[in-house]
Amino acid sequence: MQIGRTNITLVQGDITKQEVDAIVNAANSALAVGGGVDGAIHRAGGPAINAETRQRYPQGCPTGSAVISGAGNLPAKWVIHAVGPVWHGGGSGEAELLASAHRCALQLAAEAGASSIAFPAISTGIYGYPIGEAATVSLKAVKQYLAENPDMPLCEVRFVLFGESALKAYTAAVGS
């Protein structure tokens, strides 16, 4: 799918191995090393990522926002730590917070001069966001942001999905 000059692609794979300018980390608000995608990024990228985020962002990052750091040993140049919401049934502003985390990540990538960015399925692991709903919200937020910001340097927005079921959910949500 293409929005302006930016291609949106969906792949199944390991986000830590993506050769893009920026990868997005599904971070927690304390920016503490966690499990899932966050743990994988910190293991693959090494301790420099955690050291930088602790130094630059001692207060953490609020839900629905994002911060940027170097990528340590990863093939990317930057890691954008986006904090998605914990799922509480859908009536606590989760959709807006998830959309906001994606918009903030795209803005930071653009400000850094990234031409490519890779997102995981933010909030769908331990945070419990239903994958189908998260896919719809995430893709809609990205498409809307790109449409509203046609001069962004991004040529590719890649969603890197860990399992086949996540890839199927995002593929089904493409038309949303």
Side-chain angles (χ1 to χ4, degrees):
M1 165 180 24
Q2 189 162 353
I3 306 292
R5 64 178 183 216
T6 306
N7 289 315
I8 300 174
T9 57
L10 309 175
V11 300
Q12 184 178 339
D14 181 345
I15 198 160
T16 68
K17 299 189 182 331
Q18 301 303 303
E19 294 186 10
V20 292
D21 289 338
I23 64 169
V24 178
N25 179 17
N28 56 63
S29 60
L31 300 177
V33 179
V37 169
D38 183 60
I41 287 171
H42 283 282
R43 282 190 301 277
I49 297 170
N50 188 42
E52 182 180 345
T53 57
R54 279 196 332 252
Q55 179 185 10
R56 290 181 65 189
Y57 312 106
Q59 301 303 314
C61 178
T63 302
S65 193
V67 296
I68 192 168
S69 74
N73 300 326
L74 295 166
K77 296 177 187 171
W78 302 285
V79 175
I80 298 173
H81 307 269
V83 182
V86 173
W87 179 254
H88 293 291
S92 299
E94 295 97 331
E96 179 49 40
L97 289 167
L98 184 60
S100 177
H102 284 80
R103 290 190 301 267
C104 288
L106 290 168
Q107 183 64 40
L108 287 171
E111 289 170 2
S115 64
S116 55
I117 186 173
F119 282 94
I122 297 172
S123 287
T124 63
I126 195 167
Y127 282 14
Y129 211 115
I131 189 75
E133 293 181 42
T136 299
V137 170
S138 301
L139 286 164
K140 181 179 178 185
V142 167
K143 291 188 290 189
Q144 182 178 3
Y145 189 88
L146 293 172
E148 292 172 356
N149 296 278
D151 296 330
M152 287 191 69
L154 287 169
C155 298
E156 181 184 12
V157 175
R158 185 182 306 168
F159 284 89
V160 182
L161 306 155
F162 187 70
E164 187 176 334
S165 62
L167 179 61
K168 285 181 179 179
Y170 272 72
T171 301
V174 165
S176 300

